[in-house]
Amino acid sequence: MTESFDLAVVGAGPAGLAAAIRSSALGLKTVVVDEQPAPGGQIYRAVEATSRSPRAAALGPDYLRGRELVERFRASGAHYQPSTQVWQIEPSWSLFASTAASTHVVSARHLLLAVGATERPVPFSGWTLPGVMTVGAAQIMLKTSFMVPKPPFWIAGQGPLVLLYATQLLDAGIRPDGLLLTTPKGAIGRALGHVGGALSGWRYLRKGLAMMRRLKRSGVPILSDVEGIEAIGGERLERVSYRRAGVTQNVAASTLLVHEGVVPSTHMSLALGAAHDWDDATLCMKPRLDDWGKASLPGLSIAGDCGGIGGAEAAAVQGEIAAIGAAQALDKLDDAAAQRDALPLRKALAAHLAIRPFLDAIYRPRAAIRTPDDNVIVCRCEERTAKDVRDAVASGCIGPAQVKSFTRAGMGPCQGRQCALTLTELIASARGVSPAEAGYLRIRPPLKPVTIGELAALDEASAKEPA
Amino acid sequence: MTPDVIVIGGGLHGCAAAMNLSARQCRVLVLERSAVARHASGASAGGVRTLNRDLAEVPLSLIAARMWDDIESLVDDDCDYHAHGQLRVAETEVELASLEARRQQMLALGYSHEVVIDQAELRRRAPTIGPQCVGALMVETDGAADPYRTTHAFRRKAERLGAQFIEGACVTALSRQGTVWQVTTPAARYEAPTIVNCAGAWSDEIAAMIGDRAPLQTRCSMMMVSERVAPFLGPVVSAVNRKLSFKQTDDGTVVIGGGHQGRPDRAHESYQLDGRRLGESATAVAAIFPTMRRVRIVRAWAGLEAQTPDHLPIIGPSPSAPGFFHAFGFSGHGFQPAPAVGRALADLVIDGGTQMPIAPFALDRFATSGKAA
Ligand SMILES: Cc1cc2nc3c(=O)[nH]c(=O)nc-3n(C[C@H](O)[C@H](O)[C@H](O)COP(=O)(O)OP(=O)(O)OC[C@H]3O[C@@H](n4cnc5c(N)ncnc54)[C@H](O)[C@@H]3O)c2cc1C
């Protein structure tokens, strides 16, 4: 079964939704394909259902704002395929997609990837113990089912999401046992070099400061400049140890939530073979994009956090710009009209992005997390340690592809999502070269694990189709 | 130091040639455009199969099989080789009759390694096999190895014996000056009296540089591997009427091939997988192993390889140039014979001839080939 569209959007977060609204208004037959059962992406996860709940207020006005975007999307006329996993994309463009019930192909003249961000993997000693999870995963549980962590619980790491989640918990009447903030002491001072941007992004900054004040007032212990976090336990997490001012401390914990910022989800764009570059400021791969969000492959655009972290509001604007660019590429809009429509959006985008260099500088993860100690597991699926990777480099492997073949690191069901960045940085530091030179894991299809039954369903469906 | 032999291509065949030549005191230089085992040899299913070989290949394949039996003494590494057997499954009585006919044909030629097993025996060896499967042709001493590890084992053994490997060295031109070949790569020039062409999917380009025309197509066979599942299968399974090669590894993952083709992009040393053909591959799996339906595929890939019109390799001296030897065009089944092909190449280079049964594989069997006009 094949359905044809002008524009296929993968991802129903702010970027994808805003793009679909705009492209539908421009007359493009648009489809949005998303793995979640409802629109909203990570930030507005389950917003339609959750916003009707009496407890919704705890999630804050920024979250609830998502409902308005989702409503406009629902009214836009764009087609929407929820609970649908895209596992293969072939050029100009065929998307192979599976739902629980069947497999089908979506064909489109233009493709927009709006698949958002993923949390940076945070490898440290004990991070694979049950009881250790990411702040992002915990926040999804809060949004979808108001589930809260098992006490005693600690939050460790840094970044806007840590503060946001902690305040959302407080608003829901839940107190973490403490926050272990990993931002190094001098970071703010160094980030002041970007204070110009911070000033034009004052709205973001004010929000951050307000959250910090709220946390301090609550009396939750907030420890700063923490390093050397370890999760300790037998079957599951029992204690968390950390170092502060050279002194190692130990606290009881059933849950440890960690977070060191988010990075673009580049799995699809890498698998497609679009050009990417290592970005030293944000320590991750980024697709190479022009100012319409167009990637190096014809007919491919990328918007939102998967093109570089900018946050929800920037993502929505980028989605609209990309939709205009797609309309222009498909001859639904002439160049002058496209430029005119994009102009106010570009101004808004610049304002949203102004804060970023400042945030990137403050929240730059420590080296110990990017290039962990020998005993730390790097590849969770295959249980390979940093030492395994360093040994592979010592025996002549120069990049992730060879390290993967030699050690199996990156071969498991997570398809490298949890270890690719660490592999690059470990190999780079072991070889004494830049991460750009060390290179990145080659991403192999399928884009998501897919069952034999789902794959076979595709073949069985086309066998039934009339020739 | 000027090498005696330059081998072009660091796949399994280049590495096996280098190993055998080095073992016989030749100074060998291997020039590999990309990285050792980057192409067919790293992508391979690693099936060590004498089962159902073309009759022309059987003698060479059986010699190789005995080398596989003792692969560790050859390359100081077990290559993760396990002789759990290979099965070719029949789903109908008609198919089973065709396997019986093959068995009789082989017996008449004096080969007894292929045997027919009935449904009960098949079920014993592959308990989750589909209920329609009525029997199989089997070689009990066949098996499978880890292709990447095998290729590197041959490489390391060659290096220990003195061979030198240069990766990232693409041969762009060849010329003969007196009794010496000049080999050009972007970074340097090399010289040797003898060249061996093991350039896999690109071998016709190398052959053309010396005036040999090889009628090759590019194959792009796709592979899939599953998440880990509890052990359920020892032998490698193929099927009479389906494109399938199926095995479970020691760590529980299931490796699936069978020659379903992706889209090769030879110029960029790359390819694209074909989602629909992966669907066909999955259909074959689901038919023969119904319990696999729920198992997740976590990775798929493909390897580029040369295919000849008769699906038999090209092994032997160049018809047009002295001191030049070919070994390519393995058409999807060149992993198993590699140890024997390497030995034959060393004989050809050093002795000027070989006892190994490679006569059917001469390049000039193709009317349109041989010396270019
Ligand atoms: C997916 C797949 C599954 C397979 N399964 C099996 C199986 O189960 N059993 C079996 O017996 N066989 C199997 N085969 C076939 C087997 O793997 C191949 O026949 C064998 O690996 C070929 O080895 P090679 O060295 O000739 O080629 P390759 O490994 O491709 O090596 C050729 C090398 O030459 C290099 N090269 C090319 N041009 C140049 C140049 N100009 N300069 C320098 N270097 C150059 C390339 O970079 C490459 O590394 C399979 C093949 C594939 C692709």
Side-chain angles (χ1 to χ4, degrees):
Chain A
M1 185 182 45
T2 304
E3 304 157 273
S4 300
F5 297 90
D6 294 318
L7 176 67
V9 180
V10 184
L17 295 179
I21 294 165
R22 177 66 85 143
S23 71
S24 299
L26 289 168
L28 301 190
K29 187 181 175 200
T30 302
V31 62
V32 177
V33 185
D34 189 89
E35 60 188 18
Q36 293 304 320
Q42 299 296 0
I43 181 145
Y44 306 136
R45 179 76 77 110
V47 72
E48 287 168 310
T50 301
S51 61
R52 284 185 216 105
S53 148
R55 286 180 292 182
L59 295 168
D62 280 347
Y63 173 64
L64 296 178
R65 186 160 345 126
R67 190 172 59 189
E68 187 259 341
L69 181 65
V70 169
E71 276 164 6
R72 284 201 292 132
F73 167 68
R74 291 282 193 192
S76 70
H79 294 242
Y80 174 49
Q81 299 185 358
S83 302
T84 302
Q85 196 74 255
V86 174
W87 49 265
Q88 160 86 339
I89 300 177
E90 296 180 4
S92 66
W93 295 100
S94 298
L95 284 67
F96 292 72
S98 294
T99 63
S102 71
T103 297
H104 62 279
V105 180
V106 173
S107 84
R109 295 161 68 202
H110 200 97
L111 174 64
L112 174 64
L113 299 182
V115 291
T118 50
E119 288 180 281
R120 176 184 292 282
V122 189
F124 58 91
S125 177
W127 71 308
T128 55
L129 274 179
V132 180
M133 64 190 284
T134 68
V135 171
Q139 197 202 30
I140 287 172
M141 288 161 74
L142 183 70
K143 285 179 190 169
T144 53
S145 51
F146 289 104
M147 262 169 74
V148 294
K150 183 165 176 253
F153 78 97
W154 291 75
I155 301 175
Q158 57 176 344
L161 185 64
V162 168
L163 301 183
L164 176 62
Y165 175 69
T167 50
Q168 285 173 334
L169 282 179
L170 289 178
D171 291 339
I174 311 290
R175 277 171 58 96
D177 288 75
L179 263 57
L180 305 171
L181 299 182
T182 54
T183 308
K185 226 184 207 105
I188 303 232
R190 278 196 301 279
L192 286 178
H194 303 283
V195 75
L199 288 178
S200 49
W202 62 274
R203 207 163 49 83
Y204 285 92
L205 212 55
R206 204 179 51 182
K207 260 192 229 167
L209 292 172
M211 287 192 287
M212 199 64 193
R213 271 197 308 273
R214 167 104 177 72
L215 282 166
K216 287 204 168 125
R217 253 186 291 126
S218 75
V220 169
I222 302 176
L223 309 181
S224 59
D225 199 13
V226 172
E227 54 188 328
I229 289 166
E230 292 187 16
I232 301 163
E235 293 292 287
R236 56 168 295 121
L237 177 70
E238 290 158 19
R239 311 189 65 73
V240 174
S241 99
Y242 60 89
R243 213 165 50 244
R244 244 189 124 205
V247 183
T248 301
Q249 318 258 16
N250 237 295
V251 291
S254 289
T255 313
L256 172 63
L257 304 177
V258 294
H259 180 81
E260 285 285 344
V262 294
V263 293
S265 283
T266 48
H267 208 79
M268 279 187 186
S269 49
L270 283 167
L272 287 177
H276 287 66
D277 300 296
W278 178 264
D279 183 51
D280 254 327
T282 54
L283 299 166
C284 62
M285 296 296 279
K286 266 190 188 175
R288 209 175 290 160
L289 303 178
D290 72 8
D291 60 3
W292 295 102
K294 291 198 178 110
S296 66
L297 303 176
L300 175 67
S301 303
I302 295 177
D305 277 357
C306 61
I309 303 303
E313 291 177 70
V317 177
Q318 287 167 334
E320 291 197 60
I321 295 174
I324 294 167
Q328 176 204 30
L330 295 173
D331 290 328
K332 298 263 180 178
L333 201 61
D334 65 41
D335 289 3
Q339 292 292 1
R340 187 198 58 220
D341 288 359
L343 193 63
L345 295 167
R346 294 193 196 291
K347 284 199 185 127
L349 181 61
H352 287 307
L353 294 178
I355 186 77
R356 284 291 144 185
F358 179 75
L359 293 179
D360 294 341
I362 292 190
Y363 294 134
R364 190 176 175 84
R366 289 174 195 256
I369 278 167
R370 290 149 41 207
T371 53
D373 287 347
D374 273 354
N375 66 323
V376 173
I377 286 180
V378 167
C379 166
R380 301 174 69 118
C381 302
E382 301 288 331
E383 299 187 350
R384 293 302 186 272
T385 63
K387 180 169 194 307
D388 294 330
V389 176
R390 292 193 174 101
D391 286 351
V393 172
S395 74
C397 294
I398 59 169
Q402 288 118 313
V403 168
K404 171 173 159 183
S405 296
F406 259 92
T407 65
R408 298 189 57 85
M411 277 199 188
C414 92
Q415 304 179 305
R417 286 176 170 82
Q418 298 253 30
C419 63
L421 279 173
T422 316
L423 287 178
T424 291
E425 291 226 48
L426 270 177
I427 294 166
S429 83
R431 287 182 55 205
V433 301
S434 68
E437 193 176 335
Y440 200 75
L441 212 57
R442 259 199 305 274
I443 304 300
R444 300 287 192 201
L447 297 165
K448 282 283 171 75
V450 56
T451 66
I452 286 287
E454 287 167 331
L455 273 169
L458 176 72
D459 186 43
E460 287 152 8
S462 61
K464 272 183 245 139
E465 240 172 272
Chain B
M1 171 208 89
T2 310
D4 300 317
V5 182
I6 290 176
V7 175
I8 303 173
L12 179 56
H13 284 279
C15 293
M19 191 283 260
N20 279 279
L21 285 160
S22 303
R24 297 189 60 187
Q25 278 76 48
C26 269
R27 285 169 305 184
V28 181
L29 172 65
V30 179
L31 299 177
E32 163 54 49
R33 159 161 72 192
S34 153
V36 166
R38 164 83 171 75
H39 289 292
S41 302
S44 179
V48 177
R49 174 179 63 81
T50 61
L51 176 67
N52 202 45
R53 287 257 166 200
D54 188 291
L55 293 180
E57 277 187 336
V58 170
L60 187 68
S61 183
L62 288 177
I63 292 172
R66 302 295 74 81
M67 297 169 85
W68 277 103
D69 288 343
D70 203 8
I71 196 73
E72 189 156 5
S73 73
L74 196 64
V75 292
D76 313 328
D77 188 315
D78 67 13
C79 301
D80 209 11
Y81 174 57
H82 295 291
H84 292 319
Q86 291 235 3
L87 301 173
R88 183 170 163 83
V89 171
E91 293 175 83
T92 64
E93 292 299 334
V94 176
E95 288 174 19
L96 190 59
S98 77
L99 295 179
E100 187 55 50
R102 161 85 182 183
R103 154 87 173 153
Q104 293 308 326
Q105 181 191 27
M106 293 294 278
L107 279 176
L109 293 167
Y111 300 122
S112 57
H113 57 287
E114 294 180 356
V115 300
V116 173
I117 60 172
D118 65 11
Q119 190 167 37
E121 181 63 16
L122 174 59
R123 199 128 298 159
R124 202 180 67 71
R125 289 174 186 268
T128 60
I129 201 118
Q132 80 282 20
C133 299
V134 288
L137 193 65
M138 174 179 78
V139 175
E140 198 158 18
T141 50
D142 278 352
D146 178 334
Y148 188 84
R149 183 158 153 194
T150 303
T151 307
H152 278 276
F154 275 90
R155 178 220 177 128
R156 278 193 302 272
K157 178 76 185 219
E159 285 178 325
R160 281 195 296 279
L161 293 167
Q164 194 195 344
F165 283 72
I166 302 180
E167 298 179 277
C170 179
V171 174
T172 53
L174 288 164
S175 63
R176 183 112 175 140
Q177 313 279 317
T179 58
V180 175
W181 287 103
Q182 299 244 329
V183 181
T184 307
T185 70
R189 257 172 191 235
Y190 306 92
E191 285 185 355
T194 305
I195 308 285
V196 179
N197 173 14
C198 293
W202 300 267
S203 295
D204 55 345
E205 296 174 0
I206 299 292
M209 292 177 194
I210 62 155
D212 277 349
R213 198 160 53 200
L216 298 186
Q217 284 187 315
T218 305
R219 282 173 70 86
C220 177
S221 298
M222 300 190 293
M223 302 287 305
M224 303 191 280
V225 64
S226 78
E227 62 190 323
R228 289 181 183 160
V229 288
F232 67 96
L233 185 69
V236 181
V237 174
S238 58
V240 174
N241 201 24
R242 295 186 195 270
K243 283 191 186 167
L244 175 71
S245 119
F246 186 94
K247 66 160 180 283
Q248 188 175 28
T249 64
D250 283 354
D251 59 23
T253 60
V254 177
V255 179
I256 297 159
H260 299 270
Q261 297 294 298
R263 303 182 192 95
D265 177 0
R266 203 163 70 135
H268 297 99
E269 296 183 62
S270 176
Y271 58 80
Q272 238 144 36
L273 296 186
D274 183 325
R276 291 191 185 279
R277 296 243 167 89
L278 287 176
E280 291 168 22
S281 181
T283 301
V285 170
I288 303 293
F289 288 98
T291 54
M292 283 293 294
R293 277 195 170 267
R294 288 185 305 274
V295 174
R296 292 189 307 165
I297 295 301
V298 300
R299 209 150 35 83
W301 69 91
L304 302 190
E305 204 194 351
Q307 174 170 302
T308 63
D310 59 9
H311 292 216
L312 293 175
I314 289 163
I315 307 170
S318 158
S320 57
F324 204 101
F325 300 87
H326 296 302
F328 58 82
F330 290 92
S331 309
H333 41 264
F335 183 74
Q336 190 269 355
V341 175
R343 183 178 293 173
L345 285 169
D347 293 347
L348 289 175
V349 168
I350 295 164
D351 308 329
T354 181
Q355 300 291 318
M356 304 288 275
I358 58 162
F361 310 129
L363 173 57
D364 49 21
R365 71 180 183 277
F366 300 111
T368 58
S369 69
K371 211 175 160 94

